[in-house]
Amino acid sequence: MNTSQTRRRRIVSLLTVACALAVGASIGVRLAAYGVPFALLTACVLGIASSSLWLFSRIEAALTSTTHRCTAPSCTFQVRMRHVSAAESRRWQEIAAAHPTHDSR
């Protein structure tokens, strides 16, 4: 694995966590201004931070993943992958196009 790619992924992960914590802290500061008890404030901040982290992670995954779908009409088979080489991506593209079960849900 390339060191610059690993470093870039770690930086993106760190920024994702930092943004989620910033959103949680922002909500916490707003709620503290209304005199919300500390226990409730902590629960709200952690809930908002974890929801934000999930959302930011899903956005990052959607932006960095590749999806290969079956070429048969009305078939819902798909393969989604992240951080693979061009050869591996091509191999999965061929698998998606020629998979044995074509289902329509």
Side-chain angles (χ1 to χ4, degrees):
M1 170 128 340
N2 192 349
T3 338
S4 65
Q5 289 177 347
T6 304
R7 184 176 298 128
R8 184 174 50 93
R9 274 191 242 143
R10 287 181 181 169
I11 290 171
V12 168
S13 295
L14 182 64
L15 289 174
T16 302
V17 170
C19 288
L21 290 175
V23 169
S26 171
I27 296 298
V29 167
R30 290 179 185 178
L31 288 175
Y34 290 102
V36 174
F38 182 74
L40 184 58
L41 184 67
T42 303
C44 290
V45 167
L46 290 176
I48 294 292
S50 65
S51 297
S52 300
L53 182 60
W54 177 84
L55 177 65
F56 295 150
S57 297
R58 295 287 294 183
I59 291 170
E60 190 262 335
L63 292 175
T64 60
S65 66
T66 302
T67 303
H68 297 297
R69 292 178 175 83
C70 178
T71 55
S74 75
C75 183
T76 59
F77 182 81
Q78 66 180 358
V79 177
R80 183 173 293 134
M81 66 197 107
R82 297 173 58 192
H83 313 300
V84 295
S85 65
E88 183 74 10
S89 179
R90 179 68 182 158
R91 186 175 78 84
W92 279 104
Q93 184 180 18
E94 291 170 358
I95 289 171
H99 71 98
T101 59
H102 294 283
D103 58 336
S104 58
R105 295 180 188 156

